Amino acid sequence: MGRSLCRVGIRIGVLGGSGGAGASTFAAVLAWAARFAGASLVDLDGSGGGIDVLLGIERVPGPRWSDLRLDGGRLESGLLLGALPRWYGVPVLAADRSPPERGVPGVVAAAAQAGPVVLNLPRAPDPVRAAALDGCDLVVLLAAARVPALAAARAVLAGLPDPSAQAIGVLLRAGDVPLADAAALLGRPVLGCLSAGHRPVELAVRRPPRALARVASGLLDGVQLHLTRPEEMETDR
């Protein structure tokens, strides 16, 4: 990761187009791929049971959303990130309950002062997701190229903000629908593709798989190109 992403403090939201898409896994790997730029992982999916459980750090001391006292004051970035439990060097704020809507912008802004922020977003629309989406520079939707999963992903996309006002792209996992047809059906730019064998993995017992990490790094490189040469990205669209 280049230093420009750290300077900008870009915010990338990740959500699944259907259940079991592996969005939380990819969000964690994406943050891990940007760890040397000071990336952090903020879990906003209160119904997911806490991303710290997925990562196997649920017993590591440090604040979760329920421990934060958000009374309207400004959060100190260093104090917040320094206190959080870490997963392979990435500070993680897990959602042990649904985060307070009013507290989301301040927490994300504090994390962004140190570097990129990856947001693990809930699939269903709610005020917390809306508050987070409002500040995202990029939203990544994971979708499997299968008919039921693509139908679900289209419904999720329909619930997101106007794509003309926000960068929204899809990460496709190979399935029985050709990737070109799946991309056309979703109508959003394809940020990357995963093979059918790239299934959600148990990150609690292993480091991020190399293949998944390569996809995450490639996506981040594309974001960096967009930040440094935005006119070319617009032309590509």
Short mmCIF file of all heavy atoms in Angstrom, two decimals, residues 135-163:
data_model
loop_
_atom_site.label_atom_id
_atom_site.label_comp_id
_atom_site.label_asym_id
_atom_site.label_seq_id
_atom_site.Cartn_x
_atom_site.Cartn_y
_atom_site.Cartn_z
N GLY A 135 -20.27 8.41 4.50
CA GLY A 135 -18.87 8.83 4.49
C GLY A 135 -17.95 7.91 3.72
O GLY A 135 -16.73 8.13 3.71
N CYS A 136 -18.49 6.87 3.07
CA CYS A 136 -17.64 5.91 2.36
C CYS A 136 -17.14 6.48 1.03
O CYS A 136 -17.90 7.10 0.28
CB CYS A 136 -18.40 4.62 2.09
SG CYS A 136 -18.52 3.50 3.50
N ASP A 137 -15.87 6.23 0.74
CA ASP A 137 -15.31 6.59 -0.56
C ASP A 137 -15.56 5.49 -1.59
O ASP A 137 -15.60 5.76 -2.78
CB ASP A 137 -13.80 6.81 -0.42
CG ASP A 137 -13.48 7.95 0.52
OD1 ASP A 137 -13.64 9.11 0.12
OD2 ASP A 137 -13.11 7.66 1.68
N LEU A 138 -15.71 4.27 -1.11
CA LEU A 138 -15.97 3.13 -1.98
C LEU A 138 -16.79 2.10 -1.20
O LEU A 138 -16.54 1.88 -0.02
CB LEU A 138 -14.66 2.49 -2.44
CG LEU A 138 -14.76 1.18 -3.23
CD1 LEU A 138 -15.41 1.42 -4.59
CD2 LEU A 138 -13.39 0.54 -3.42
N VAL A 139 -17.76 1.50 -1.90
CA VAL A 139 -18.54 0.41 -1.31
C VAL A 139 -18.32 -0.83 -2.18
O VAL A 139 -18.46 -0.78 -3.40
CB VAL A 139 -20.04 0.75 -1.26
CG1 VAL A 139 -20.83 -0.44 -0.71
CG2 VAL A 139 -20.28 1.98 -0.40
N VAL A 140 -17.93 -1.93 -1.53
CA VAL A 140 -17.67 -3.19 -2.22
C VAL A 140 -18.75 -4.20 -1.84
O VAL A 140 -18.94 -4.49 -0.66
CB VAL A 140 -16.29 -3.76 -1.84
CG1 VAL A 140 -16.02 -5.06 -2.59
CG2 VAL A 140 -15.19 -2.73 -2.13
N LEU A 141 -19.44 -4.72 -2.86
CA LEU A 141 -20.47 -5.73 -2.63
C LEU A 141 -19.95 -7.07 -3.12
O LEU A 141 -19.53 -7.19 -4.27
CB LEU A 141 -21.75 -5.36 -3.37
CG LEU A 141 -22.86 -6.40 -3.23
CD1 LEU A 141 -23.87 -5.96 -2.18
CD2 LEU A 141 -23.59 -6.64 -4.54
N LEU A 142 -19.94 -8.08 -2.25
CA LEU A 142 -19.54 -9.42 -2.64
C LEU A 142 -20.76 -10.21 -3.11
O LEU A 142 -21.78 -10.23 -2.42
CB LEU A 142 -18.88 -10.17 -1.48
CG LEU A 142 -17.37 -9.97 -1.32
CD1 LEU A 142 -17.07 -8.59 -0.77
CD2 LEU A 142 -16.77 -11.05 -0.44
N ALA A 143 -20.63 -10.84 -4.27
CA ALA A 143 -21.76 -11.60 -4.82
C ALA A 143 -21.25 -12.84 -5.52
O ALA A 143 -20.24 -12.79 -6.24
CB ALA A 143 -22.56 -10.73 -5.79
N ALA A 144 -21.94 -13.95 -5.32
CA ALA A 144 -21.61 -15.18 -6.03
C ALA A 144 -22.36 -15.19 -7.35
O ALA A 144 -23.51 -14.75 -7.44
CB ALA A 144 -22.00 -16.39 -5.18
N ALA A 145 -21.71 -15.70 -8.39
CA ALA A 145 -22.32 -15.75 -9.72
C ALA A 145 -23.25 -16.96 -9.83
O ALA A 145 -23.03 -17.88 -10.62
CB ALA A 145 -21.25 -15.78 -10.80
N ARG A 146 -24.27 -16.95 -9.00
CA ARG A 146 -25.33 -17.95 -9.03
C ARG A 146 -26.66 -17.21 -9.05
O ARG A 146 -26.78 -16.12 -8.48
CB ARG A 146 -25.25 -18.86 -7.81
CG ARG A 146 -23.97 -19.71 -7.76
CD ARG A 146 -23.94 -20.62 -6.55
NE ARG A 146 -23.73 -19.88 -5.30
CZ ARG A 146 -24.67 -19.60 -4.41
NH1 ARG A 146 -25.94 -19.98 -4.62
NH2 ARG A 146 -24.39 -18.93 -3.31
N VAL A 147 -27.65 -17.81 -9.69
CA VAL A 147 -28.92 -17.10 -9.89
C VAL A 147 -29.54 -16.60 -8.59
O VAL A 147 -29.88 -15.41 -8.47
CB VAL A 147 -29.91 -17.99 -10.68
CG1 VAL A 147 -31.29 -17.33 -10.74
CG2 VAL A 147 -29.39 -18.23 -12.09
N PRO A 148 -29.72 -17.45 -7.56
CA PRO A 148 -30.33 -16.93 -6.32
C PRO A 148 -29.49 -15.84 -5.67
O PRO A 148 -30.03 -14.85 -5.17
CB PRO A 148 -30.42 -18.18 -5.42
CG PRO A 148 -30.33 -19.34 -6.34
CD PRO A 148 -29.43 -18.89 -7.45
N ALA A 149 -28.16 -16.02 -5.66
CA ALA A 149 -27.28 -15.04 -5.02
C ALA A 149 -27.30 -13.71 -5.78
O ALA A 149 -27.26 -12.64 -5.17
CB ALA A 149 -25.86 -15.58 -4.94
N LEU A 150 -27.37 -13.78 -7.11
CA LEU A 150 -27.40 -12.55 -7.90
C LEU A 150 -28.72 -11.81 -7.71
O LEU A 150 -28.75 -10.57 -7.67
CB LEU A 150 -27.19 -12.88 -9.38
CG LEU A 150 -25.78 -13.34 -9.74
CD1 LEU A 150 -25.73 -13.83 -11.19
CD2 LEU A 150 -24.77 -12.21 -9.55
N ALA A 151 -29.81 -12.56 -7.58
CA ALA A 151 -31.10 -11.92 -7.32
C ALA A 151 -31.06 -11.20 -5.98
O ALA A 151 -31.55 -10.06 -5.85
CB ALA A 151 -32.21 -12.96 -7.35
N ALA A 152 -30.47 -11.84 -4.98
CA ALA A 152 -30.35 -11.20 -3.66
C ALA A 152 -29.44 -9.98 -3.73
O ALA A 152 -29.71 -8.94 -3.12
CB ALA A 152 -29.81 -12.21 -2.65
N ALA A 153 -28.34 -10.09 -4.49
CA ALA A 153 -27.41 -8.97 -4.61
C ALA A 153 -28.06 -7.77 -5.29
O ALA A 153 -27.81 -6.62 -4.91
CB ALA A 153 -26.17 -9.41 -5.38
N ARG A 154 -28.91 -8.02 -6.27
CA ARG A 154 -29.62 -6.92 -6.93
C ARG A 154 -30.52 -6.19 -5.93
O ARG A 154 -30.64 -4.96 -5.96
CB ARG A 154 -30.46 -7.45 -8.09
CG ARG A 154 -29.67 -7.69 -9.36
CD ARG A 154 -30.52 -8.37 -10.42
NE ARG A 154 -31.69 -7.59 -10.77
CZ ARG A 154 -31.74 -6.68 -11.74
NH1 ARG A 154 -30.64 -6.43 -12.46
NH2 ARG A 154 -32.84 -6.01 -12.01
N ALA A 155 -31.13 -6.95 -5.04
CA ALA A 155 -32.00 -6.33 -4.03
C ALA A 155 -31.17 -5.48 -3.07
O ALA A 155 -31.60 -4.40 -2.66
CB ALA A 155 -32.77 -7.41 -3.28
N VAL A 156 -29.98 -5.97 -2.70
CA VAL A 156 -29.11 -5.20 -1.81
C VAL A 156 -28.66 -3.92 -2.50
O VAL A 156 -28.68 -2.83 -1.91
CB VAL A 156 -27.89 -6.03 -1.37
CG1 VAL A 156 -26.90 -5.16 -0.59
CG2 VAL A 156 -28.33 -7.21 -0.50
N LEU A 157 -28.27 -4.01 -3.76
CA LEU A 157 -27.85 -2.84 -4.51
C LEU A 157 -28.96 -1.80 -4.60
O LEU A 157 -28.72 -0.59 -4.54
CB LEU A 157 -27.39 -3.24 -5.91
CG LEU A 157 -26.01 -3.88 -6.01
CD1 LEU A 157 -25.78 -4.43 -7.41
CD2 LEU A 157 -24.92 -2.88 -5.66
N ALA A 158 -30.19 -2.28 -4.75
CA ALA A 158 -31.33 -1.36 -4.86
C ALA A 158 -31.53 -0.56 -3.59
O ALA A 158 -32.11 0.53 -3.62
CB ALA A 158 -32.60 -2.14 -5.20
N GLY A 159 -31.05 -1.09 -2.46
CA GLY A 159 -31.20 -0.39 -1.19
C GLY A 159 -30.04 0.52 -0.85
O GLY A 159 -30.05 1.16 0.20
N LEU A 160 -29.04 0.59 -1.73
CA LEU A 160 -27.89 1.47 -1.50
C LEU A 160 -28.16 2.85 -2.11
O LEU A 160 -29.06 3.02 -2.92
CB LEU A 160 -26.63 0.86 -2.12
CG LEU A 160 -26.14 -0.44 -1.49
CD1 LEU A 160 -24.93 -0.98 -2.25
CD2 LEU A 160 -25.80 -0.25 -0.01
N PRO A 161 -27.36 3.84 -1.72
CA PRO A 161 -27.56 5.19 -2.25
C PRO A 161 -27.41 5.23 -3.76
O PRO A 161 -26.91 4.29 -4.39
CB PRO A 161 -26.46 6.01 -1.56
CG PRO A 161 -26.09 5.23 -0.35
CD PRO A 161 -26.28 3.79 -0.72
N ASP A 162 -27.81 6.34 -4.33
CA ASP A 162 -27.70 6.57 -5.76
C ASP A 162 -26.26 6.34 -6.21
O ASP A 162 -25.35 7.04 -5.74
CB ASP A 162 -28.14 8.01 -6.07
CG ASP A 162 -28.05 8.34 -7.56
OD1 ASP A 162 -27.63 7.47 -8.34
OD2 ASP A 162 -28.42 9.47 -7.91
N PRO A 163 -26.02 5.35 -7.11
CA PRO A 163 -24.64 5.06 -7.52
C PRO A 163 -23.94 6.23 -8.20
O PRO A 163 -22.72 6.27 -8.26
CB PRO A 163 -24.79 3.87 -8.47
CG PRO A 163 -26.22 3.91 -8.92
CD PRO A 163 -26.99 4.48 -7.78
#
